[in-house]
Amino acid sequence: MMPTRTMQAVRLHEHGGPEVLRYEEVPVPEPGPGEVLIRVHAAGINPPDWYLREGMTNLPPETRPKFSFPVIPGTDVSGVVEAVAADVDGFSAGDEVFGLLRFPSFEGSAYAEYVAARASDLARKPAHVDHVHAAGVPMAGLTAWQFLVELGHDHPSPFQAARHRHVELGADTTVLVNGAAGGVGHFAVQLAKWKGARVIAVASGAHESFLRELGVDQFIDYTKERPEELVRDLDLVVDTVGGQASGRFLRTLKRGGALYPVFFGEYDEEEIARLGVTLSGTQVRSSGAQLAELGRLLDAGTLRVAIDSTFPLADAQAAHERAARGHIQGKIVLTAV
Ligand SMILES: NC(=O)c1ccc[n+]([C@@H]2O[C@H](COP(=O)([O-])OP(=O)(O)OC[C@H]3O[C@@H](n4cnc5c(N)ncnc54)[C@H](OP(=O)(O)O)[C@@H]3O)[C@@H](O)[C@H]2O)c1
């Protein structure tokens, strides 16, 4: 029998704080049908990674994934194809690829030196973007894309029965992005600008110059001012923050306007009806095809990805500690080579 090839990976054996992320030796995965084996160069980190670590207590029970320990967290990778299953067309060994893996199953297993990935979740890495930056794109970029540009699938969302409704964005629309400097927020800002909209960014003051460079037309520092007292008649609010205070954005919308809760918020149905506005959202899903479209925008320089910080894969604990401190600007990325 051939000895099992091993690799280093980060695994969870239990829920808890960053200290439960264990860097250890595990078998290299075997790609199944429709899959490729990727040598991971970089893995982006996202909120679901720490939700999984913490036991998903902040998610409604019906949206919590089923899994068994030990589990390798992580969904976002950029790397090089090492091997492909016999039935895979379109990718071959040596190709540079990036992807959001198997989401929303939470079986991405990206915090590792190698990962087996469905070919349909992958796209060619944009040539002018390095692995660290490419690894920052998949979940956050696809979330912004699926909320703002095109849903791209017909899977029902666990968050709402109706299909997500897009607001047509253009020169005569104004979009407010709350949490504008974060992973999803900074892509939402750029996609709205790309569509020609006027963009208002809400973030803490330290992010102002970053967001102005991304083209925002108005900046509101939520630590000093209340956006709901400053703006009116908006076409769209993209709220990446959510929580108890999220309903205050409803009154900033014009009749016919929409609010997209990217994370769970609390909203008064009566107020929504009285104001004549819509609430609409979705859950991001893996899509190699949409990632290829984002890749073209990244290669053209139309879209950029900001890197908050990088940590070696072995220091995933420190990366999660950084995330827990909040105020993230762009993406936190693990490096695996
Ligand atoms: N529906 C979906 O499918 C989907 C997909 C992806 C993500 N999400 C959810 O969306 C949320 C955002 O994800 P992410 O990856 O963008 O997170 P992130 O990178 O951590 O960004 C969060 C941003 O929000 C800002 N922020 C925090 N409190 C704020 C407040 N009170 N007002 C305004 N801004 C505030 C933070 O910086 P400052 O406070 O310094 O401004 C940070 O830049 C997460 O809850 C995630 O679970 C949902």
Side-chain angles (χ1 to χ4, degrees):
M1 214 173 93
M2 290 265 290
T4 309
R5 252 176 102 202
T6 62
M7 64 175 184
Q8 297 302 120
V10 175
R11 294 203 299 187
L12 294 168
H13 295 256
E14 62 189 314
H15 295 302
E19 70 285 352
V20 300
L21 294 162
R22 281 204 230 154
Y23 187 64
E24 53 196 13
E25 195 168 322
V26 305
V28 172
E30 289 281 339
E35 292 187 341
V36 310
L37 182 68
I38 301 172
R39 173 71 175 98
V40 178
H41 284 235
I45 85 166
N46 288 285
D49 306 356
W50 60 85
Y51 303 160
L52 179 67
R53 195 199 75 222
E54 289 166 349
M56 293 160 298
T57 45
N58 65 340
L59 303 182
E62 65 280 10
T63 69
R64 292 180 195 163
K66 310 244 177 309
F67 70 94
S68 48
F69 289 125
V71 61
I72 301 176
T75 57
D76 284 13
V77 289
S78 183
V80 178
V81 173
E82 176 142 314
V84 302
D87 61 343
V88 169
D89 300 321
F91 293 106
S92 43
D95 288 345
E96 295 189 311
V97 293
F98 69 140
L100 167 63
L101 308 188
R102 298 185 192 90
F103 204 79
S105 79
F106 284 66
E107 290 164 359
S109 303
Y111 289 14
E113 289 180 316
Y114 292 90
V115 67
R118 291 192 304 226
S120 58
D121 292 351
L122 302 174
R124 298 294 172 107
K125 178 180 79 63
H128 300 303
V129 175
D130 63 23
H131 286 292
V132 166
H133 286 79
V137 177
M139 179 175 289
L142 285 173
T143 302
W145 187 269
Q146 291 174 14
F147 269 78
L148 289 171
V149 182
E150 188 200 10
L151 189 55
H153 64 77
D154 284 318
H155 292 272
S157 164
F159 307 146
Q160 71 179 34
R163 196 175 198 273
H164 176 51
R165 270 186 38 202
H166 287 111
V167 170
E168 206 53 54
L169 298 181
D172 48 7
T173 48
T174 303
V175 180
L176 180 146
V177 180
N178 188 36
V184 176
H186 88 301
F187 287 121
V189 160
Q190 294 179 79
L191 289 178
K193 286 305 300 175
W194 172 61
K195 288 281 181 186
R198 186 169 175 273
V199 176
I200 303 168
V202 179
S204 66
H207 302 302
E208 177 166 4
S209 58
F210 164 65
L211 288 163
R212 296 250 183 227
E213 277 167 35
L214 295 183
V216 306
D217 301 281
Q218 186 179 345
F219 176 82
I220 300 174
D221 176 352
Y222 71 84
T223 67
K224 299 209 175 99
E225 294 178 297
R226 293 171 185 272
E228 69 275 20
E229 287 171 7
L230 297 178
V231 293
R232 280 288 173 276
D233 293 328
L234 304 179
D235 297 276
L236 176 65
V237 170
V238 180
D239 184 7
T240 76
V241 179
Q244 286 175 346
S246 34
R248 72 195 195 279
F249 285 109
L250 292 172
R251 74 191 82 131
T252 68
L253 293 167
K254 69 180 185 197
R255 267 196 115 63
L259 189 150
Y260 295 170
V262 182
F263 193 67
F264 308 104
E266 290 175 20
Y267 306 96
D268 177 352
E269 291 299 332
E270 260 176 39
E271 188 182 7
I272 290 171
R274 181 167 40 80
L275 295 172
V277 299
T278 318
L279 211 60
S280 182
T282 185
Q283 182 178 40
V284 68
R285 298 191 75 90
S286 298
S287 170
Q290 291 180 331
L291 212 45
E293 301 203 47
L294 285 165
R296 279 189 279 281
L297 294 177
L298 287 156
D299 247 345
T302 309
L303 199 63
R304 53 174 276 228
V305 47
I307 300 301
D308 176 277
S309 45
T310 64
F311 297 84
L313 181 62
D315 289 343
Q317 289 186 2
H320 277 222
E321 282 159 8
R322 160 70 197 96
R325 287 194 295 276
H327 302 298
I328 296 171
Q329 185 175 100
K331 297 296 303 175
I332 303 171
V333 175
L334 301 171
T335 54
V337 287

